[in-house]
Every structure is written in structure tokens, then in C-alpha cells.
Amino acid sequence: MKIRYIITSLLLVLGIACSDDQGNYDYRELNTITLDGLVKDYYVDQYDTLKINDLNMNFALDSNVDLAFEWVVKTKNKDTRRVVSTDHFCNGYITEAPGGYDAWVCVTDRSNDLKYYQEFNLTVNSPFQNALYVLSETADGSAVLSLQRRDKENAPLQIDLFEGENPGLGQLGKKPIQISYYWGDVYAVCQKGERKLLKINPKTLQLQQYWDESTIDEGYVGSFVPEFFTNDMGGGMVLSEGKLFLFNYMSNGTLYFPVEGYNFSWVGTNPSMSTSYYYAYDEDSQTFKKLEKGNNPLLFSKVSTVEELNTTGQTYWTQGAKVASDYEKTRYPVLYDQVTGMEHYYEIYCGGEYNEDYTEYLEIFEYSEIMSRQAVLDENSVCLLSNANYWYASKGNKIVRYFFSATSEVKDWFTNFKGEVTNMIFDSKEDRIFVATFDGTKSYIYEISAVESEEQLNAPLELTGKVVSMCVVGKWMY
């Protein structure tokens, strides 16, 4: 009886409460946001700004909303992500390594903390693959790797990049002397430091491999102070203190036992994997040598003298640039006779061709003295270039030009330099010359015409230290 009374009382209270409820609930419609406008794929170069201006937002009610934006880049298959921009339209500086990334924009309504997303794919391209590479030396002898992109107009010189792209490795090396590009890789040569010959990936600037005394074939006892490196289809050669070290870039890159017993000052490689010989100049005998490989493609079985060339009394002076039109098969070593004051220009061709039915590869080794003349070069000359018609030589703080002729006039070609010339190279079309000069503190990199004298094409690039070597990497647009 008592229980029935309690239940009746509860029902009465509930009924009174319900009768007082006049339906005053605040049912408000959410101001949802729909994102669109982004395309599926975006592309940006590393160390460039990712700009995306096509994000559209559609509001269910009111666009006057307090919003927060996050543009996020995430490494594929990893939980590594970074907010690159917090602007309405993306304006993010991209430091991520070249490759593909998942990406999205997250828009947050701060009034209710609701989040809205739109995804896209991001491809980061390398900024290093089409560039002028510059190797320079600081006052304390440290090597510095810099570059100027040539796929963008008026790109700045990016200075000292190696350490930033190789955390924990320290400096590139000490006493740098050469940088070159071959078959997708950049090679730098330093005479001091832990790493003497370095192989660098031009996509990432990361060190792939390096060589020093410890990497020479087992059993070698001696020093290794590289002076010149050259690489071709038939393999590579490193010139060090008169010795030649063979280099096989196709396998583990071992430096093989050197060719000793000679005092080599110059070496030319061959551009074909089918060619079995190299050639070099020996200062002790003052003769060109032909070095032939036997069954082991990385060891020389025979060294013979090129008797047809009389080079008595001559010492190696410099080498002219390769002529691009013959696929770099021709070399132009220049020797100097101190007694007569004459320069002797030699043309050495190393190549070959298949017979008519492509069953046999016929090696061709041709050489001749193409010109001798009173010396144009002197102790201040560090560079010599040649194209199809002219020689370009540095003489202190100027460049001179002359024909392929013993009697041709030596003409001042460009004289308006700051400092003295330290290095110069052609671009791939051989109509421009990049010239590095040094004034004792700073280097200047000029871009001058190979067609019109005294024509400077751009304001010089500047950097502290001495530029010792430059090379062309990739395909240039500018």
C-alpha cells in the first residue's frame, strides 16, 4: 500500500513538470564548412615556397567565422609530419627532401573546435640537379660546395651546402682542387682531410661514397694526394704524385694498385667501355705513354711509348677543354719547352667504331702535334679552353683568344675582371664562358660571351674565399 502511494506521487510530480515545459530548447543549425578547389597533385622544389591559392570554403550559414589553418606535409608510410603554413592560402617554405609526400589542409572553426580537411599529393623536386656547381677554398683551407640553379632565371648563388645536407659529417674536406660531373654523379677532389675523393648525389647533395688511403686495393703502402680525377665509360683515373690509380665506378669503386715507376703529369681517359687503353704523359722520360689493359680490365698489362711524337725537352703545361661535338673523345694536352719558349699543342683521339655488321668493335687511337707557337700562356695562366674554332686562355686578370694557328693574333677577349682568373668553363653550348676570379679575399664568377669580346652577360656572383673549380650539372634553361 505504501509502495503504491510513492509511485502515484512520483507520477504526479512528473506530470506537473511536463506541463510546465513550454518547449524552449535552443536547436541551432551548425555552420558547417565544405572545402574544395584543391587539385590532386602539387609540385615544389626543395628550399622553395609552396604557394597554394585555390582553397575554396563554402559555409552553411555565415562566413564571418574565426578560423585556424594548418597546411601539413607528411612523409609517406611514416608518422613524420610538419606544419608548413598557417595562412589561409599556403605560403610554406619546403625543406623536405626530394620525393613524394601526403599532404592536407586542416581548417578549424575556433567557436566549436570542428575540423575540416582536404587532402592532396605533394612532390618535392631537387633544386640541385640543373646548376652551376662551384668548389671553393676558405682562408683556413676548408672546402666549400656552392651552386647556382640554372633552371630558374636570376637564381642566387647558394653557398656552403654540403654540411646542411649531410648532418654529422662535418666539412667536405680540406685543400679542394677539382669538381666534375659524370653520369649522374658529382665528384669532388680534396688533397687533405678524411675524404680525398668524394662521390655526391646531385639530387640530394648527400655523400654516396668517398676514398682515401684506406680504400686503395689491399696491400698498397704509400700516400694518396690526388691532383686530378677523370671518369669515362672505360673507368676512371686518379692522378696522385705522379702515380695513376684506376677507378671502377661500376662496382664497389675500389681504387686499384697504381701504375708506378713513372712520373705522370697528365692522363686522358677513353669514352668507351669497349676501349682497352688510356694515355698519359711521363715527365721523367718526356714521352707520351699508351697504357693497355689485359684480361683484368682494371690493371694495365703493358705501358708503351708513343714513338711518333717527339716531345724531348717538353713538360706538361695544361689541357684544353674537350670538344663537345665529338662526344669528348679528343683531348688537347699542351706541353712547354723552357729552352725554346715554345708551346706544343697535341691532339689525341681515343675512341672507336663498330664494323658494318656490328660484330666487332674497332679501336681507334690517333695523335698528332697540331700546332707549336711562341708561348701564350705563362706562370699566371691556370685555364685553357677550346671550342671548334678558338683557344681561350687566362693570363692573370684577363682572357685572351686566338685561332688554331701558329701565327694567329692573340687578342684580348675580356679584361674587365676583379682579381685574377682561377678557373673557367664553357656552358654546354660553348657560347658562354663562366670565369671565376679571386682578389685575395673574395671570388667573383662572371658570365661572358664566347662570341663577342668584352661582353659581360650578367652581374658577377660573389662569395668569400677562392673558387678553385666549377662544373656544369644537368640541363640548363638559363
Side-chain angles (χ1 to χ4, degrees), residues 120-274:
F120 57 95
N121 299 318
L122 178 65
T123 299
V124 178
N125 297 316
S126 170
F128 310 132
Q129 289 180 285
N130 303 289
L132 171 70
Y133 273 58
V134 179
L135 185 64
S136 61
E137 182 179 6
T138 63
D140 68 356
S142 298
V144 174
L145 177 61
S146 307
L147 63 83
Q148 183 199 31
R149 296 181 62 174
R150 303 301 298 189
D151 56 357
K152 288 196 170 186
E153 191 172 12
N154 299 321
L157 183 66
Q158 298 171 267
I159 299 174
D160 200 4
L161 298 175
F162 180 82
E163 291 187 45
E165 301 304 319
N166 295 270
L169 290 185
Q171 64 182 206
L172 182 73
K174 300 281 275 188
K175 188 64 177 173
I177 58 169
Q178 181 188 350
I179 191 165
S180 58
Y181 176 70
Y182 181 73
W183 262 43
D185 293 306
V186 171
Y187 293 88
V189 179
C190 298
Q191 293 191 324
K192 295 181 179 180
E194 178 186 356
R195 298 176 286 267
K196 302 289 185 65
L197 173 62
L198 303 91
K199 180 180 179 182
I200 298 170
N201 183 345
K203 182 177 180 180
T204 63
L205 287 192
Q206 292 180 353
L207 179 66
Q208 293 181 288
Q209 193 172 1
Y210 73 90
W211 296 264
D212 59 13
E213 289 85 348
S214 66
T215 59
I216 300 173
D217 201 16
E218 185 177 355
Y220 173 72
V221 177
S223 60
F224 180 59
V225 184
E227 301 162 12
F228 177 72
F229 169 75
T230 182
N231 209 357
D232 277 312
M233 285 291 291
M237 295 290 289
V238 182
L239 178 64
S240 171
E241 301 173 302
K243 301 185 288 287
L244 294 179
F245 293 83
L246 270 168
F247 171 88
N248 183 6
Y249 71 93
M250 298 288 286
S251 62
N252 62 2
T254 299
L255 286 173
Y256 285 81
F257 252 73
V259 181
E260 297 185 282
Y262 302 91
N263 183 20
F264 292 117
S265 57
W266 171 83
V267 58
T269 59
N270 63 76
S272 170
M273 294 183 70
S274 302

Side-chain angles (χ1 to χ4, degrees), residues 23-29:
N24 291 327
Y25 294 116
D26 185 11
Y27 292 108
R28 290 181 296 174
E29 184 178 354

Side-chain angles (χ1 to χ4, degrees), residues 394-467:
S394 70
K395 289 177 68 69
N397 61 354
K398 68 179 181 180
I399 303 266
V400 298
R401 190 182 83 163
Y402 49 103
F403 285 108
F404 280 64
S405 167
T407 58
S408 64
E409 177 187 3
V410 179
K411 179 181 179 181
D412 284 351
W413 190 249
F414 195 90
T415 58
N416 191 26
F417 291 125
K418 295 180 182 178
E420 297 201 349
V421 177
T422 60
N423 189 239
M424 62 183 185
I425 59 171
F426 280 122
D427 71 349
S428 58
K429 295 181 180 180
E430 297 182 351
D431 59 358
R432 292 179 297 176
I433 304 174
F434 289 81
V435 183
T437 66
F438 182 58
D439 66 4
T441 302
K442 295 178 65 175
S443 284
Y444 307 86
I445 301 175
Y446 293 81
E447 183 180 344
I448 68 171
S449 172
V451 180
E452 298 291 337
S453 65
E454 301 293 354
E455 182 178 358
Q456 183 175 327
L457 302 178
N458 284 309
L461 305 172
E462 298 183 16
L463 72 161
T464 301
K466 180 181 180 180
V467 172

